[in-house]
Amino acid sequence: MKKLAIAVVSALTAALLVTPAYAKSYFEDPNPPSVGAVSVDKPAVTVGDTLTVSYDVSDPDGVRSVSPGVTGEDPSVAPDPNSGHAAAGMASSGDTTRSFGIYIDSEDAPGRRWVYCLRVTDGAGYVTTIYDETYAESHSVDGRTADLSALTWEIVAPSAVPSYKVLDGDGAKYVKGSEGGLSVRFSGEASNLASVQVDGVTISTDNYTVEAGSTVVTLKSSYLQTLSEGIHEVVAYYRDGGRAAAEFEVTAAQNSEGDSQSSQEVRDDAENSQGLDNQMDLKASSEQAKPNRPNSKGVPKTGETGLLPLLAGFVAIGMACIVAALYWPKPR
C-alpha cells in the first residue's frame, strides 16, 4: 500500500513537472494581465463573413495567446437554465495576441452574440480568465473583470441582409500628390453606416469623412498617400448587415510632360539633376583655375599671341636703320 502511494505521488509530481503551463493554470497569476481598447470590426455579419474581435492585452510576462468566450445570452441578464443558449470558447490557429477572427458559417443561428470573457495565456504559462463586468455581476462570478460591452454583434440570415449599391465613384482614380480626396456614394443611409474598410482592413474615422446624400464617403488625401499604386477596394458596412463595395485606383504623380512617374522615380530624377548641376559647377570652376600653357605645337595659348605684331614692328624698324646707315652719303 505504501509503495502504491509513493508511485501515485511520483506520477503526479512528474506530470506537474512536464506540464508547467497546465499546472500553473490552476493557480493565480502573480503578474496578471490587463485588457483595454476592445472592439469588433462589424456590428452585423452573415454567413461567409469573418468577424474580427480586437483587444489590447498586456502582461508583464508577455502574451502567448488570447481566446474569447462567446454567448448568445445577454450578459446583463441572470442565466436561464432553460434557455438553450450555451456559452462557447473559440479556437484559432493564428496569432491571437491582438485580435481574433471568428468565421460565420451556416450553423450559426441568427441573433445577437456577446463576448463574456477573454482567456489569456501569458509567457510564463499562466491562464487568466477576464470576465465582462456586467456578466460577472449578473452571474455572480469571482475573478478579474474588464469592460467588454463593445464586443457584441448581430448574425443576420443571408435572406434578411439588405442590398445596397454604389451610386457614384466606382472606378474613381486618385493621383498621388493631389490635395483633394476621393469620394464614393453608397445607397444606404449615412446614419446607418457602421464602418469603412479598405482592402479588408477597417480604417479609422480620422481617415475619411461621411456626408448625407445617401452615404458619401470621402477618403482623405493624407490617407490615400499611404496606399500603394494600383487597384483598391472600399467597402461600406451598415448596422443592419448590409454592405456595398467599390473599386478605386491610386496612380503615380505626373511630371511636366504628363507622363506618370512613381514617387521613387520623381525623387531619383531630382537627385540625378542636382548631381549633374554640381558636376557642371565643379568643371567650370576647374577650367577657370587652370593657367594658360603652350599647346603641343609650341604655340602660346590665348593671352600670349598678342606679342607677335609688336615683335614684327621692332624687326622692321631695325632693318630700316641698317639700310639707312649703309647708303647714307658720307661727309667729305
Side-chain angles (χ1 to χ4, degrees):
M1 194 67 182
K2 183 177 180 180
K3 291 183 179 180
L4 179 61
I6 293 174
V8 171
V9 170
S10 299
L12 290 174
T13 302
L16 291 176
L17 288 175
V18 298
T19 58
Y22 180 79
K24 286 182 178 180
S25 66
Y26 287 92
F27 298 95
E28 185 176 356
D29 186 353
N31 301 306
S34 60
V35 177
V38 298
S39 64
V40 293
D41 67 336
K42 304 179 190 71
V45 290
T46 190
V47 175
D49 287 343
T50 297
L51 178 85
T52 300
V53 179
S54 300
Y55 34 75
D56 184 7
V57 178
S58 59
D59 190 292
D61 298 316
V63 179
R64 184 181 300 174
S65 65
V66 179
S67 175
V70 179
T71 180
E73 294 181 339
D74 187 342
S76 64
V77 179
D80 180 1
N82 300 317
S83 65
H85 288 288
M90 310 297 292
S92 175
S93 59
D95 180 10
T96 61
T97 57
R98 299 194 65 84
S99 63
F100 196 101
I102 300 176
Y103 179 75
I104 310 302
D105 60 29
S106 57
E107 295 182 0
D108 291 311
R112 181 152 293 276
R113 300 291 189 275
W114 292 265
V115 170
Y116 71 94
C117 73
L118 292 174
R119 296 185 180 92
V120 180
T121 303
D122 68 9
Y126 288 99
V127 179
T128 302
T129 300
I130 301 177
Y131 292 95
D132 174 62
E133 295 172 342
T134 304
Y135 180 89
E137 182 178 357
S138 63
H139 288 66
S140 301
V141 176
D142 294 329
R144 300 188 65 83
T145 62
D147 183 6
L148 306 182
S149 59
L151 302 183
T152 180
W153 61 94
E154 186 80 18
I155 298 179
V156 182
S159 59
V161 175
S163 177
Y164 296 117
K165 60 183 180 179
V166 179
L167 301 178
D168 293 301
D170 192 18
K173 292 185 179 181
Y174 172 78
V175 179
K176 283 196 170 183
S178 302
E179 295 183 0
L182 183 145
S183 297
V184 180
R185 188 160 69 99
F186 301 96
S187 61
E189 292 296 328
S191 59
N192 193 34
L193 182 68
S195 62
V196 174
Q197 288 190 357
V198 173
D199 298 334
V201 178
T202 301
I203 63 175
S204 168
T205 54
D206 295 335
N207 295 323
Y208 65 92
T209 61
V210 179
E211 297 178 18
S214 296
T215 305
V216 180
V217 175
T218 301
L219 301 176
K220 296 182 179 179
S221 59
S222 56
Y223 170 72
L224 293 167
Q225 287 284 85
T226 66
L227 299 179
S228 62
E229 295 160 14
I231 304 297
H232 300 270
E233 183 184 56
V234 56
V235 183
Y237 283 94
Y238 292 88
R239 291 184 174 84
D240 54 12
R243 77 286 309 269
E247 288 188 343
F248 65 93
E249 183 178 4
V250 175
T251 62
Q254 293 184 338
N255 58 23
S256 58
E257 285 78 23
D259 297 328
S260 178
Q261 289 183 301
S262 67
S263 300
Q264 185 61 45
E265 288 174 337
V266 171
R267 288 193 297 269
D268 290 344
D269 287 349
E271 291 173 0
N272 292 337
S273 176
Q274 182 63 39
L276 182 59
D277 291 343
N278 291 339
Q279 291 178 11
M280 294 179 66
D281 291 343
L282 289 173
K283 184 176 180 180
S285 299
S286 177
E287 290 293 338
Q288 292 176 2
K290 287 181 180 178
N292 289 326
R293 297 186 178 88
N295 59 19
S296 60
K297 294 183 180 180
V299 179
K301 289 188 176 181
T302 302
E304 296 181 2
T305 55
L307 295 175
L308 291 176
L310 183 59
L311 292 175
F314 283 134
V315 171
I317 293 173
M319 291 295 293
C321 292
I322 294 173
V323 172
L326 292 176
Y327 294 97
W328 192 266
K330 295 181 180 180
R332 293 181 180 179

